[in-house]
Amino acid sequence: MSRAHNFCPGPCTLPLPVLNELQDEMVELNDTGMSVIEMSHRSSDYEAIHQSAIDRLRSLSAAPDEFEVLLLQGGATLQFAMVPQNLLTPGMRAGYVVGGAWGKKALNDAAKVGDAYLAWSPPGDGPATMPGAAAEVAIEAETSFVHVTSNETIEGSRMVDFSGYGVPLVADMSSDYLSRPIDWEHFDLVYGGSQKNLGPAGLAIVFVRSSLLEQSPETLPSYLRYDLHAKANSLANTPPVFSIWAMNKVLAWMEQEGGVAAMEARAGERSGMVYAAIDNSDGFYRNPVEPRFRSHTNIVFRLPSEDLEAEFLARADGEQLLNLKGHRSVGGIRASIYNAMPTPGVEALVELMGQFRKERG
Ligand SMILES: *Cc1c(COP(=O)(O)O)cnc(C)c1O
């Protein structure tokens, strides 16, 4: 077996010990005579896994008791609709900070549900950027909530200050979920898909302040209502048991590795290694992001020409450094370095960057 270094932006590389455990337990869980994906989601064996995943999410993220933890389907994308469906009360508006492609998608879907407006976007065509402070965001009267994207996966930028919004704050944290601490006092709802830091695809993890649940309109179809999922402990209907089982193992691995503080330190070190290779390249590599908003999980860079970028990607592929191509909308190179990326993968990338520049620079 040969595991490549997988820099895929999502789904992402997972810890090898977790994959091995999944394999070992795949055919029969405990002594139940069946696999987890065949058993009732009302069985005590499954319920123990379900509760363990919820408890681990709560303890790893240090979420206070006044937050509910929901395990939902539809990925982060369904949350683009569910957030305004549940929180955008009639006669009110929702403000969206749009620092990149995902924020824009969230705004577009919210505008189909209710009165959503653009509260911030980057000035001009410069490097990718984010609001530095709430004061830069144009929050209008009658605003139910402001929505931010903590890390823009495609542009490679992240927000650093979530304080002072003065209205309920909702954050899409899909691409830096549990790779940095969540400062709960600033947030009322945070959500993200599972497949970038937490496990395989198939899940959205939503933390919502309990006091907001009263707002879910009774006219909403049942699956779309946060309050019903909260009441049923995310077992109102059949949950995606495989994804939850696998995520629970990733969360256990994160605990063993030192939790979110360790993940944050790693993300800082590993992204720092790539940014150093960029910044010390005499302009051969360029990162098109305002430095203080550089992402710690998605590092984008350009080479002097598209031909050189294609050549770099081919070389990387040859060395089993995979999925480094930037998103088709922006081009260039993107290294997605989530929690489970082994540091030797990052070292190999930095080594290749140095080599390639020596040959072509
Ligand atoms: C990947 C991503 C999404 C979409 O997630 P799905 O789970 O595929 O719906 C939304 N927001 C951000 C920031 C992302 O990185």
Side-chain angles (χ1 to χ4, degrees):
M1 185 192 64
S2 138
R3 297 259 304 158
H5 294 300
N6 181 6
F7 293 90
C8 188
C12 72
T13 197
L14 292 175
L16 183 57
V18 168
L19 297 176
N20 284 330
E21 250 189 63
L22 292 170
Q23 185 175 44
D24 290 345
E25 297 171 18
M26 185 69 235
V27 176
E28 186 184 16
L29 183 79
N30 305 332
D31 290 318
T32 58
M34 64 186 75
S35 72
V36 69
I37 55 175
E38 299 166 300
M39 68 180 53
S40 167
H41 58 291
R42 311 281 175 207
S43 65
S44 57
D45 287 279
Y46 175 70
E47 281 195 348
I49 293 168
H50 190 89
Q51 195 55 47
S52 165
I54 290 173
D55 292 346
R56 284 202 164 106
L57 284 167
R58 198 181 272 291
S59 71
L60 277 165
S61 68
D65 288 345
E66 57 269 26
F67 281 82
E68 300 281 349
V69 185
L70 309 180
L71 308 179
L72 306 179
Q73 300 196 54
T77 300
L78 183 58
Q79 296 311 307
F80 294 166
M82 280 179 72
V83 164
Q85 282 172 328
N86 284 270
L87 304 188
L88 187 46
T89 39
M92 299 288 280
R93 321 186 63 202
Y96 278 69
V97 169
V98 174
W102 289 113
K104 189 167 188 187
K105 286 192 177 181
L107 170 58
N108 287 346
D109 274 358
K112 292 178 182 167
V113 172
D115 189 355
Y117 65 90
L118 180 67
W120 186 89
S121 64
D125 286 337
T129 183
M130 285 288 198
E136 297 168 26
V137 178
I139 301 173
E140 299 180 5
E142 317 278 280
T143 290
S144 276
F145 65 86
V146 166
H147 179 284
V148 299
T149 307
S150 58
N151 184 80
E152 281 288 0
T153 322
I154 293 174
E155 287 74 10
S157 55
R158 71 168 194 164
M159 288 181 69
V160 291
D161 186 357
F162 300 97
S163 66
Y165 278 79
V167 294
L169 189 62
V170 173
D172 174 1
M173 296 193 172
S174 294
S175 51
D176 62 1
Y177 230 4
L178 303 193
S179 70
R180 68 200 282 199
I182 301 172
D183 200 350
W184 291 103
E185 70 173 300
H186 301 315
F187 297 104
D188 296 86
L189 188 151
V190 308
Y191 67 90
S194 52
Q195 71 279 12
K196 292 179 184 138
N197 260 325
L198 306 179
L203 268 178
I205 295 99
V206 178
F207 293 87
V208 55
R209 208 177 271 280
S210 316
S211 55
L212 292 180
L213 294 175
E214 288 155 25
Q215 299 180 15
S216 299
E218 302 214 338
T219 49
L220 265 188
S222 55
Y223 195 86
L224 303 175
R225 286 175 56 174
Y226 290 134
D227 59 334
L228 297 188
H229 290 293
K231 216 174 281 171
N233 197 28
S234 303
L235 282 164
N237 71 331
T238 319
V241 294
F242 179 84
S243 301
I244 293 169
W245 181 51
M247 177 179 70
N248 188 38
K249 291 188 184 299
V250 176
L251 298 173
W253 172 85
M254 280 176 61
E255 284 173 350
Q256 274 168 17
E257 297 288 309
V260 170
M263 299 299 130
E264 182 189 32
R266 271 186 205 179
E269 278 163 28
R270 296 187 300 203
S271 60
M273 287 162 62
V274 183
Y275 288 124
I278 295 168
D279 294 340
N280 300 327
S281 71
D282 288 326
F284 184 74
Y285 300 110
R286 281 176 302 112
N287 167 248
V289 181
E290 194 178 328
R292 67 190 163 129
F293 301 119
R294 284 173 163 182
S295 170
H296 287 197
T297 45
N298 308 98
I299 298 102
V300 298
F301 55 94
R302 304 303 307 243
L303 275 71
S305 72
E306 289 187 7
D307 284 349
L308 280 171
E309 287 171 348
E311 204 183 316
F312 180 87
L313 287 169
R315 274 284 292 276
D317 268 12
E319 300 188 17
Q320 292 287 88
L321 303 170
L322 305 185
N323 292 315
L324 282 163
K325 198 171 165 52
H327 191 267
R328 58 190 179 280
S329 62
V330 294
I333 316 291
R334 169 174 54 170
S336 295
I337 301 174
Y338 298 122
N339 289 346
M341 167 63 70
T343 299
V346 183
E347 289 165 349
L349 172 63
V350 167
E351 170 83 24
L352 172 65
M353 289 172 74
Q355 274 290 338
F356 193 80
R357 182 186 145 219
K358 223 180 274 167
E359 294 165 23
R360 292 283 185 275

